[in-house]
Amino acid sequence: MGARDDVVSRGPLAALDRPIDFRRYPASGRAAALVRHYWLVEYGFPPEGGTDVPILVYPACNLVIEHDKARLYAPSPRLAVQHLEGAGIAFGVLLQVATGSRLAARPVDEFVGDSIAIGENPAVARVRALMQGPGDAATRHAAAIAAFEDWLAQPVPSLTDDDLLMNEVAAAVEADSTLMRVDELAARFGLTTRRLERLVARYVGLTPKWMIQRRRLQEAAARLRSEPATELSTLAAELGYADYAHFSRDFAATVGPTPREFAAAARAE
């Protein structure tokens, strides 16, 4: 199993390079119904070294197994910042939207912006041991993913109609950049706006409007990182904003810097 560059992930807002080894792997087979992709990290900073990694999280839960803990993280409306120092590993799983509440055995709006502990069990211990075992990274990662997938089918044996519907809703929001309004999203799936809002609250913990805005901000950040010379008014229009000022306010309110400042930092890297 190899890392694939075509697995879309717009989460991290900073360059991830040495001493951080960050790799993404697609879910396959039966696991793809439960997992969007895996993100595996290994790092080793010198003494007194470290870094903060800002992340615009997706509207789905992440399960993360580290050397000293395993937790299920709900989506956060704010910018998440992960501090890395010393040496460590993280076996990260971006779950399909429906999977998070099933693993948590509760609606996501009960712990949105927070996390809950995943109890230590043989599967968690096995994944951790494989991540830290001998051999090259690709081999260790493939073995850890296989061990995780063997376990995941047990706590989430099947998906309900609502589970499948919410996975489709989330996929539509991310894949279709023309979806700008909540009523349009609801109509696409034959739902009332209120029904859609209740579904999103249960599975994401936030609102359909937030899901659409998060996609727009992730698109903006990814574009400005890869093409920092992008004309900002044009980008704002492509993202569906009436003007640059509105886009700039939304971007800065979540990311921190304005789009202009973010692009300047990307040019300087």
Side-chain angles (χ1 to χ4, degrees):
M1 180 184 298
R4 277 182 23 195
D5 291 336
D6 61 335
V7 174
V8 177
S9 179
R10 306 185 183 110
L13 299 185
L16 298 177
D17 48 25
R18 293 297 177 186
I20 303 172
D21 184 351
F22 177 83
R23 307 189 189 196
R24 302 186 186 101
Y25 301 89
S28 59
R30 289 184 298 174
L34 304 174
V35 172
R36 177 183 170 126
H37 69 251
Y38 302 94
W39 51 271
L40 278 57
V41 181
E42 302 181 17
Y43 57 91
F45 289 92
E48 309 304 324
T51 191
D52 288 330
V53 180
I55 302 168
L56 267 181
V57 299
Y58 280 89
C61 291
N62 280 273
L63 190 156
V64 186
I65 300 172
E66 298 179 81
H67 68 281
D68 59 348
K69 63 181 180 291
R71 301 192 69 85
L72 181 68
Y73 292 85
S76 172
R78 299 174 297 278
L79 183 73
V81 179
Q82 179 66 46
H83 181 71
L84 303 179
E85 64 180 7
I89 57 96
F91 179 91
V93 187
L94 178 61
L95 300 167
Q96 294 286 7
V97 170
T99 311
S101 63
R102 297 293 298 277
L103 282 178
R106 69 182 73 169
V108 176
D109 59 2
E110 293 184 5
F111 66 108
V112 67
D114 203 348
S115 66
I116 58 176
I118 299 296
E120 287 296 320
N121 60 61
V124 169
R126 177 69 174 153
V127 167
R128 186 180 288 126
L130 289 166
M131 283 289 292
Q132 299 178 105
D136 65 276
T139 300
R140 287 185 284 104
H141 293 176
I145 289 171
F148 176 81
E149 291 181 347
D150 285 344
W151 168 79
L152 184 61
Q154 300 171 30
V156 190
S158 61
L159 297 175
T160 68
D161 289 344
D162 277 358
D163 292 341
L164 295 171
L165 174 60
M166 192 58 217
N167 282 345
E168 291 180 8
V169 168
V173 170
E174 183 173 334
D176 188 351
S177 59
T178 67
L179 273 173
M180 300 291 183
R181 292 170 38 182
V182 174
D183 59 346
E184 293 173 347
L185 178 61
R188 176 171 299 191
F189 290 92
L191 302 171
T192 65
T193 299
R194 182 61 185 140
R195 167 74 170 138
L196 176 63
E197 289 172 343
R198 287 197 298 266
L199 276 172
V200 173
R202 188 201 319 169
Y203 287 102
V204 180
L206 295 157
T207 67
K209 181 179 179 180
W210 178 86
M211 291 179 67
I212 293 169
Q213 184 195 51
R214 180 52 52 101
R215 182 206 69 220
R216 296 161 87 188
L217 293 180
Q218 286 182 325
E219 287 181 357
R223 178 80 168 273
L224 293 174
R225 280 193 54 76
S226 63
E227 303 173 35
T230 296
E231 207 285 317
L232 296 176
S233 295
T234 300
L235 177 59
E238 290 174 356
L239 293 171
Y241 285 95
D243 52 47
Y244 171 73
H246 186 188
F247 166 47
S248 182
R249 284 195 300 270
D250 270 7
F251 191 94
T254 298
V255 179
T258 65
R260 197 176 308 282
E261 292 165 342
F262 188 86
R267 285 194 296 272
E269 288 182 351

